[in-house]
């Protein structure tokens, strides 16, 4: 039977953990479990058989880490085909009479994707494609992508599956205690993206124990129209007597999972710490439960890498400023590939309250495909808002949709056959909410009835491509009233009919209405309110226009959509600072202060690399570091701690700080006294820690003061550090650690230095350390900053 058909009326049971069971059979730490498919097939078949015997409908192949980054193409193929054969053999051997399938298991690649890692998105797609193709050749029944903690990598894996097979694809993510993926995505954002791309089931695995996952699962159940899966750990893992243990046993697990099923979960299994007994109890405990129906949610939603924006709650504001039409400075920026300019436009619209950003980079003589892709990649790295990808070129549209980290808005399709033929397949493949313009081969109808007829035609054609009504937003086109006095009325009437008769959401480029008239914002803001009153769901507008934002805030307050007038009052407080409408139509650069200090901090906080480098100009480099770079990173670090900033943003800030630092470095010539010292100062960030900005500053200042420095880099083992100390007979070793979890590695290194190189002094630093703590772990000195390190080096080395 097809698994999708089975899911209509049944609960589907998965298996439990594989890794722990292989370890108990003798798998050694560091050994690749995937190789056991070939070297120990009986053990692997035995484990799968126990799961089928326990009642699993799906067992996942032992291929979690089987990818072309770890294995040669030949070995990958051999592993995957053995793995599928092992699972198939287990299905044959098992006495269980339930329906059985073999799922090709795909875990994360083990590398981070750009911009926060070094793996290119397309390379990641390629890596997952190889595994998918091998799985299909070997005869897997479905693809199971799991334990993904980054939305972008999840997209790469799902795209690889969709491009290389027609098997069902289940996608499971791993959430932290904050209810988000490591890179920041909320459950609603993940559901939006994955469903948009056609995942057949979505859900959660690993992460935490079942109870702690309830809020995440509830959000999946609220938003997903496909079956929701849950495959938790047996509680939180913790170390005990050198072993990893879990708090929850099979009985409690089965009770918790039965609760999940009665909430609506349709696919259930276990992850780390679970075994066949957990699955047996889960199956018997939930045997009498009727599966809840899977309900279509009809939520119109777009997403960025962190958040989902749903239509229908409050009217959605789509910032229109990233569009070169009539903007000289933006045209120049695009021609110069000046991404920081675009980013500032994006950030300033976000600051003013936009929910989504329109991105249009179409210019004659420009490679629009490359530019739109680059603009989308740059924007999504620093701006947390979903993007509306705006292009008339299907090629450019596809290059941007591919790289987009979420479910975008697609601007636009229209009633022309040619347009629908080009846009709908893209929307079907990559997901997205499509803005549909009510015009066709005969132009724009003069009447509301004519425009609504085109909307109906677009809806019917979209259905043929498998695109549902909820993923279309109609723009009935606001024409200039100066050219046609009835234009506003026709647009408003169209809005009313589309909302009430077709039940679809609507959008309008509001400012078109005022072309040719003076004081345009006056007309625009009044028309905006009239449109909102007529059922407008989203407006493409200028969020930096005070008039437009006044109208919007007042409208929400009057509609009772602003609890306790919170947003209204906040807006009133900020109003005096807001640029006037006239100024707001100029470039985004003006929004940032241009004087050195705070502008540099702001550039770092916002992750603007080139701008940070430009601003890192001052006579006193140390002051620049201490008063601007470090405080800016502190702001970001605190935001990260409070879960207001996510890893990708932290990374962009670090990149901006580094580029400022590079500038400073260029202007600090090394001291000529270098030759005075016979032995070098050795410096490193300790094992497990990749923070190196502070360490690099210390190094720079030491060199500036004439000390020869050997920098061993970051994530350096105690042995490597000690070997260098001995080799160079270094009088001082400087160690950096920024995380509580890496201070033990620092302690270990100091111990080894004292043992193998007793002459060498250890000076330590990094934001988690204190003088007392440094003493406790045996350091000779704690230096709170780079200058203090220099003073210590002078004392010891001179
Ligand atoms: C930038 C940054 C990053 C960047 C690092 C980029 C890079 N190339 O360094 C990226 C994005 C990669 C990153 C990753 C992570 N980070 Co981080 N990161 C930061 C951040 C915001 C700033 C650090 C920094 O560069 N500060 C500026 C420098 C100049 O200051 P400094 O290092 O303290 O250096 C000064 C002194 O301490 C001293 N000093 C420094 N080194 C040395 C060495 C010697 C020998 C001496 C004598 C003195 C000395 O002199 C320096 C100059 O005055 C901090 C928050 C913060 N404010 O500290 C979090 C922070 C350190 N990160 C944190 C975390 C949790 C992580 C991640 C685990 C996140 C994740 N979930 O993946 C990963 C860690 C990966 C790993 N295995 O290391 C936590 C650590 C929490 C803790 N207490 O353990 C922090 C504190 C953020 C937070 N508040 O939660 N991070």
């Amino acid at each position: 039977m097809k698994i999708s058909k089975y899911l209509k009326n049944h609960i589907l049971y998965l298996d439990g953990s594989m890794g722990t069971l292989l370890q108990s059979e003798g798998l050694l730490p560091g050994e690749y479990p995937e190789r056991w498919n070939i070297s120990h097939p009986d053990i692997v078949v035995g484990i799968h058989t126990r799961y089928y015997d326990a009642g699993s409908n799906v067992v996942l192949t032992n291929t979690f880490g089987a990818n072309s980054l770890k294995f040669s193409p030949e070995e990958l193929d051999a592993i995957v085909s053995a793995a599928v054969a092992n699972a198939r053999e287990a299905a044959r051997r098992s006495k269980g009479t339930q329906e059985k399938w073999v799922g090709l298991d795909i875990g994360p690649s083990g590398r981070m994707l750009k911009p926060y890692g070094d793996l290119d998105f397309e390379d990641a797609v390629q890596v997952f494609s190889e595994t998918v193709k091998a799985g299909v050749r070997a005869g897997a029944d479905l693809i199971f992508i799991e334990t993904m903690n980054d939305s972008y990598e999840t997209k790469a894996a799902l795209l690889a599956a969709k491009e290389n097979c027609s098997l069902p694809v289940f996608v499971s993510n791993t959430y932290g205690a904050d209810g988000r993926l490591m890179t920041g995505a909320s459950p609603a954002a993940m559901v939006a993206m994955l469903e948009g791309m056609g995942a057949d089931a979505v859900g959660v695995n690993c992460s935490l124990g079942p109870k702690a996952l309830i809020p995440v699962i509830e959000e999946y159940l609220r938003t997903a129209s496909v079956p929701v899966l849950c495959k938790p750990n047996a509680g939180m893992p913790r170390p005990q007597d050198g072993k990893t243990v879990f708090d929850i046993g099979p009985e409690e697990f089965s009770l918790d999972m039965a609760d999940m099923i009665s909430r609506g979960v349709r696919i259930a299994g276990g992850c780390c710490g679970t075994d066949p007994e957990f699955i047996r109890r889960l199956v018997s405990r939930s045997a009498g439960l009727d599966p809840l129906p899977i309900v279509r949610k009809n939520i119109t939603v777009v997403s960025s890498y962190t958040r989902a924006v749903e239509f229908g709650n409050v009217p959605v504001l789509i910032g229109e400023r990233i569009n070169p039409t009539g903007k000289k400075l933006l045209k120049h920026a695009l021609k110069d590939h000046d991404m920081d300019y675009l980013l500032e436009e994006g950030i300033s619209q976000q600051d003013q309250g936009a929910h989504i950003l329109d991105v249009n980079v179409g210019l004659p003589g420009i490679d629009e495909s490359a530019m739109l892709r680059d603009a989308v990649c740059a924007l999504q790295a620093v701006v947390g808002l979903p993007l509306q990808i705006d292009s008339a070129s299907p090629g450019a549209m596809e290059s941007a949709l591919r790289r987009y980290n979420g479910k975008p808005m697609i601007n636009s399709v229209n009633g022309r056959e040619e347009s629908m033929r080009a846009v709908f397949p893209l929307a079907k493949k990559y997901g997205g909410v499509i803005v549909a313009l009510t015009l066709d081969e005969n132009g724009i109808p003069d009447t509301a009835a004519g425009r609504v007829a085109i909307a109906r035609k677009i809806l019917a054609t979209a259905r043929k491509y498998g695109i549902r009504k909820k993923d279309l937003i109609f723009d009935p086109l606001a024409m200039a009233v100066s050219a046609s006095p009835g234009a506003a009325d026709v647009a408003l009437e169209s809005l009313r009919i589309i909302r009430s008769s077709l039940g679809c959401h609507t959008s309008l480029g509001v400012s078109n209405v005022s072309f040719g008239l003076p004081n345009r914002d006056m007309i625009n803001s009044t028309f905006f309110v009239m449109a909102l009153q007529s059922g407008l769901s989203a407006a493409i507008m200028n969020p930096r226009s005070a008039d437009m934002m006044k109208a919007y805030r007042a409208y929400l307050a009057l509609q009772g959509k602003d609890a306790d007038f919170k947003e209204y009052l906040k807006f009133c407080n900020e109003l005096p600072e807001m640029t006037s409408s006239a100024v707001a139509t100029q470039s985004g650069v003006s929004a940032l202060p241009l004087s050195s200090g705070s502008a540099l901090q702001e550039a770092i906080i916002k992750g603007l690399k080139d701008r940070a480098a430009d601003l890192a100009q001052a006579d006193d480099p140390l002051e620049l570091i201490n008063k601007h770079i470090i405080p800016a990173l502190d702001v970001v670090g605190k935001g990260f701690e409070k879960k207001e900033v996510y890893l990708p943003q932290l990374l962009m800030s670090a990149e901006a700080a580094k580029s400022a630092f590079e500038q400073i470095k260029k202007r600090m010539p090394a001291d000529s006294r270098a030759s005075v010292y016979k032995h070098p100062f050795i410096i490193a960030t300790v094992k497990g820690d990749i923070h190196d900005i502070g360490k690099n500053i210390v190094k720079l200042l030491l060199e500036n003061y004439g000390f020869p420095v050997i920098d061993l880099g970051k994530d350096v083992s105690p042995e490597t550090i000690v070997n260098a100390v001995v080799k160079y007979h270094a009088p001082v070793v400087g160690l950096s650690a920024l995380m509580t979890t890496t201070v033990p590695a620092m302690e270990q290194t100091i111990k080894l230095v004292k043992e193998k190189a007793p002459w060498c002094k250890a000076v330590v630093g990094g934001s988690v350390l204190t003088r007392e703590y440094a003493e406790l772990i045996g350091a000779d000195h704690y230096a709170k900053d780079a200058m203090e390190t220099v003073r210590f080096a002078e004392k010891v080395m001179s």
Side-chain angles (χ1 to χ4, degrees), residues 513-532:
V513 83
S514 61
F515 268 128
L517 292 175
N519 237 331
R520 291 185 58 188
D521 270 2
M522 208 165 124
I523 299 277
N524 291 347
S525 56
T526 304
F527 178 61
F528 181 33
V529 176
M530 292 163 81
L532 289 171

Side-chain angles (χ1 to χ4, degrees), residues 182 625-626 629-630 633-638 640-641 647 650-651 653-654 658 681 683-684 688-695 697-698 714 733-742 763-768 782-787 789:
M182 181 189 76
I625 291 172
N626 289 330
I629 298 182
I630 295 180
L633 285 171
D634 277 344
V635 171
V636 188
K638 287 203 180 90
F640 182 72
E641 205 165 16
L647 192 58
L650 188 66
L651 205 111
S653 291
K658 276 207 261 183
F681 184 117
I683 195 165
D689 204 317
I690 61 162
H691 295 90
D692 66 354
I693 297 176
K695 181 212 71 181
I697 292 174
V698 173
K714 56 196 174 187
V733 62
L735 303 173
S736 181
L738 263 85
M739 299 193 294
T740 30
T741 47
T742 52
V763 52
V764 296
S767 59
V768 281
Y782 162 76
K784 75 170 189 332
D785 58 23
M787 204 54 227
T789 319

Side-chain angles (χ1 to χ4, degrees), residues 524-665:
N524 291 347
S525 56
T526 304
F527 178 61
F528 181 33
V529 176
M530 292 163 81
L532 289 171
Q533 198 60 22
S534 305
L536 184 69
S537 319
I540 304 179
M541 46 77 78
N542 178 7
R544 289 171 53 211
S545 152
D547 287 341
M548 291 296 281
M549 292 310 288
K550 277 181 193 167
Y552 181 67
R553 292 284 164 225
Y555 175 82
L556 292 187
L558 289 166
Q559 284 277 319
K561 292 190 170 176
D562 182 359
D564 299 329
F565 299 97
K566 218 168 116 200
E567 294 299 326
Y568 179 78
L569 294 172
K570 186 165 156 254
F571 177 75
C572 290
N573 282 338
E574 287 164 2
L575 200 52
E577 286 165 31
M578 201 173 164
T579 34
S580 75
S581 305
V583 177
T585 48
Q586 284 166 18
S587 96
V589 186
S590 59
L592 293 176
L594 286 168
S595 67
S596 170
S598 55
L600 176 56
Q601 285 185 19
E602 192 156 349
I604 293 173
I605 291 167
K606 290 179 170 169
L608 303 176
K609 216 167 141 183
D610 295 343
R611 192 166 172 81
D614 288 348
L615 290 166
Q617 320 275 347
D619 294 338
D620 184 350
L622 258 194
E623 181 171 313
L624 217 51
I625 291 172
N626 289 330
K627 297 222 169 116
H628 302 293
I629 298 182
I630 295 180
L633 285 171
D634 277 344
V635 171
V636 188
K638 287 203 180 90
F640 182 72
E641 205 165 16
K642 285 197 246 154
K643 310 281 178 206
E644 287 161 359
V645 164
Y646 296 99
L647 192 58
Q649 288 153 290
L650 188 66
L651 205 111
M652 296 318 286
S653 291
E655 289 295 312
K658 276 207 261 183
S659 74
F661 180 58
E662 287 304 315
Q663 280 306 310
I664 294 172
K665 213 160 128 182

Side-chain angles (χ1 to χ4, degrees), residues 188-522:
M190 286 315 292
V191 172
M193 178 175 84
L194 299 174
E195 261 193 22
M197 291 177 67
D200 297 279
V202 294
V204 185
N205 77 292
C206 205
S207 319
L208 317 153
K211 281 196 191 75
L213 275 179
I214 289 174
V216 174
I217 286 292
E218 284 292 353
E219 192 58 1
Y220 266 79
L221 292 168
R222 181 184 76 80
T223 51
S225 301
V226 294
V228 170
L229 72 89
C230 183
K231 188 175 166 320
N233 287 349
M236 280 298 275
R238 63 185 164 79
Q240 188 181 303
D241 305 330
K243 275 185 161 174
T244 305
V245 295
F246 293 86
D247 291 327
I248 298 180
E251 183 59 19
E252 187 179 348
F253 185 81
S254 69
L255 279 168
D256 289 346
M257 289 306 288
D259 175 47
M260 288 284 189
I261 289 170
S262 55
R263 289 169 190 268
V265 163
R266 292 294 296 274
I267 304 170
C271 202
C272 310
T274 63
D275 63 22
E277 185 52 24
F278 282 68
I279 303 302
R280 188 184 317 283
R281 299 266 185 110
L282 156 63
V283 174
S284 62
R285 166 90 50 197
S286 55
L289 294 175
D290 280 335
L292 292 191
I294 297 157
V295 181
R296 279 193 177 178
K297 304 301 183 322
N298 287 326
I299 301 172
T300 299
V301 59
V302 292
S303 67
S304 68
Y305 78 98
T306 56
R307 70 183 88 162
V309 172
E310 288 178 20
F311 287 74
N313 303 330
V314 291
V316 171
L317 302 181
I318 304 172
E320 68 180 11
R321 303 277 314 154
I322 304 178
N323 184 331
T325 312
K327 297 188 193 82
K328 228 163 121 190
L329 290 173
L330 182 55
K331 279 183 190 159
H332 280 302
L334 291 173
K335 284 196 175 127
D336 299 344
H337 208 272
D338 177 0
M339 285 299 158
D340 271 11
Y341 186 92
L342 248 74
L343 295 181
E344 283 166 20
E345 277 290 5
I347 290 166
S348 103
Q349 293 181 86
Q350 172 173 260
D351 291 348
Q352 301 296 348
H355 303 114
I356 294 173
L357 297 181
D358 186 78
V359 189
N360 181 318
V361 296
L363 268 186
I366 210 168
D367 176 353
E368 195 189 341
S369 272
M371 180 55 81
L372 193 58
R373 181 200 58 213
D374 292 352
V376 161
C377 289
L379 280 161
Q380 70 186 1
V382 302
V383 183
L385 302 181
L387 302 181
Q388 168 164 288
I389 300 171
D390 183 355
S391 172
S393 150
M397 180 64 83
E398 176 158 24
S399 75
L401 288 175
R402 239 186 127 73
R403 293 294 184 114
Y404 183 64
N405 189 357
K407 179 182 183 187
M409 282 190 81
I410 297 176
N411 191 8
S412 59
V413 76
N414 60 54
R416 293 190 186 107
E417 279 306 321
E418 188 194 4
S419 165
M420 294 191 281
R421 235 189 347 259
V423 175
F424 286 151
L426 294 179
K428 182 69 189 154
K429 178 171 180 184
Y430 297 103
V433 168
I434 314 159
V435 179
L437 310 179
T438 56
L439 62 90
D440 65 8
E441 286 81 357
N442 302 316
I444 304 171
D446 292 332
T447 62
R451 294 184 198 183
V452 174
I454 295 179
R456 286 187 198 280
K457 177 172 80 177
I458 295 174
L459 266 180
T461 314
R463 205 172 303 125
K464 289 187 200 145
Y465 284 87
I467 292 168
R468 289 172 49 206
K469 190 160 109 174
K470 69 169 179 80
D471 285 329
L472 284 164
I473 290 196
F474 287 96
D475 181 340
L477 300 162
M479 310 301 287
V481 279
S482 56
S484 154
D489 248 358
V490 175
L492 296 173
E493 177 65 6
S494 309
L495 282 180
R496 278 192 285 271
I497 304 176
I498 291 170
R499 274 308 277 136
S500 60
S501 305
L502 304 190
C504 292
H505 285 292
T506 54
S507 136
L508 267 184
V510 179
S511 27
N512 292 350
V513 83
S514 61
F515 268 128
L517 292 175
N519 237 331
R520 291 185 58 188
D521 270 2
M522 208 165 124

